Amino acid sequence: MTYVYVNANPAYMDENQEWIERSAKLFEAGSYPDKGVEFEAADLERLAQRFGEPVPVLIEHATSPLELGRLTQVWVEGSELFGTVHLSPEANALIERSDAKSLSIGLSAELDSIEEVSLVQSPRVSSARLFSGSLGELVDWRSKFLALRRKQVTDDSSRQLRRWIEEGKLLPAQSEFARVLLESGGTVPFGGDATPVAQVFARFIESQPPHRLFGEQVPHFESAEHQFSPDEREFYQRHFPSVALPDIARAREAR
């Protein structure tokens, strides 16, 4: 689901000034050990909801008398935070010439609001960057990213399924049902937390002992029946028709 939070531009951004609008990826959910925090999708939504007046565009989080532009709009898509940046024509031309597109957001001390967004050389989120003036590049970039992520999920689940089948923890006939659960993006309550369905299912499979249907029971059944000679089979089938030959074989083995 997409959440969009829009704030009206201040008057000085509308009067006697040309602004170039560019879309950008700003941030994403994940673990940030250097800050000692972990951001979830809900945290990104709170950042977006608290977004008030447009905030400045800086260079390497340093204040400057140069007027580069403002972050004027933010929205959340899944576990990623996106925004709209308005740049002055001069700043946009400089950015284009230098190919400086990587971004990093500056948060408040409480990590609950956006105070600025900066052009940086080494972004904390490697994919945080400015896109072209239209949303076309953003849409194209996201479609490529999602396609790669889907392929990665499919490849990972295929490897996992092969391993479980080889270990005897999953029957080949069960593999397509298992794939649906492994590739599910949902969560379920588990251990007091919202846990991915794929993780819960993997723990369930890993906790099972190996299947021995093909390794022990069927060969034992066949070998027991073939212990009888043709004459013996004829004798038992004629005089004890209600008793299965494997049962007779097991009774003989138990003596």
Side-chain angles (χ1 to χ4, degrees):
M1 183 176 293
T2 300
Y3 300 85
V4 181
Y5 302 89
V6 183
N7 291 280
N9 295 338
Y12 69 80
M13 293 194 71
D14 296 327
E15 298 176 357
N16 304 318
Q17 173 66 57
E18 178 185 357
W19 297 98
I20 295 177
E21 180 179 303
R22 299 183 64 166
S23 302
K25 176 178 175 179
L26 304 172
F27 199 50
E28 65 183 29
S31 179
Y32 298 89
D34 58 324
K35 294 291 185 180
V37 296
E38 184 163 337
F39 278 87
E40 299 180 352
D43 299 314
L44 299 185
E45 292 169 24
R46 279 191 288 272
L47 281 178
Q49 290 170 344
R50 291 178 63 89
F51 185 69
E53 288 294 313
V55 298
V57 177
L58 306 179
I59 297 176
E60 297 290 352
H61 302 291
T63 56
S64 168
L66 296 176
E67 179 71 16
L68 298 180
R70 292 287 189 276
L71 173 67
T72 60
Q73 175 184 346
V74 295
W75 69 90
V76 178
E77 291 189 23
S79 60
E80 299 171 301
L81 181 70
F82 294 88
T84 299
V85 174
H86 282 77
L87 299 168
S88 69
E90 296 81 8
N92 187 68
L94 178 62
I95 290 170
E96 287 296 309
R97 286 198 301 270
S98 61
D99 198 32
K101 296 181 179 180
S102 296
L103 294 176
S104 175
I105 58 172
L107 301 178
S108 63
E110 295 77 18
L111 305 178
D112 60 357
S113 62
I114 302 171
E115 295 192 339
E116 49 92 1
V117 59
S118 284
L119 292 158
V120 295
Q121 185 172 4
S122 301
R124 176 174 283 108
V125 177
S126 60
S127 56
R129 60 189 292 266
L130 280 169
F131 297 103
S132 64
S134 68
L135 289 174
E137 185 184 347
L138 172 60
V139 173
D140 183 62
W141 177 85
R142 281 193 56 76
S143 64
K144 291 179 179 178
F145 170 76
L146 292 174
L148 287 173
R149 185 162 63 181
R150 283 194 297 270
K151 183 178 184 303
Q152 182 65 50
V153 169
T154 300
D155 291 346
D156 289 346
S157 65
S158 295
R159 283 191 293 270
Q160 183 66 80
L161 291 172
R162 283 196 299 270
R163 182 172 72 82
W164 283 339
I165 291 173
E166 290 170 359
E167 293 176 352
K169 294 191 174 184
L170 192 73
L171 299 177
Q174 298 171 322
S175 61
E176 287 309 306
F177 300 98
R179 182 185 296 277
V180 172
L181 294 172
L182 278 180
E183 297 181 10
S184 170
T187 62
V188 293
F190 184 77
D193 296 315
T195 307
V197 171
Q199 183 178 329
V200 175
F201 178 66
R203 292 176 64 177
F204 168 72
I205 294 295
E206 294 289 355
S207 67
Q208 290 193 115
H211 291 288
R212 304 198 180 279
L213 293 177
F214 301 110
E216 294 182 2
Q217 294 180 3
V218 174
H220 178 75
F221 175 87
E222 294 178 348
S223 62
E225 185 176 352
H226 284 88
Q227 292 178 12
F228 299 101
S229 67
D231 291 340
E232 287 176 319
R233 284 200 298 273
E234 182 182 357
F235 172 82
Y236 286 120
Q237 288 171 348
R238 179 184 303 170
H239 297 286
F240 303 96
S242 62
V243 182
L245 289 177
D247 293 335
I248 297 173
R250 282 191 287 271
R252 283 177 26 162
E253 290 176 356
R255 289 185 303 181

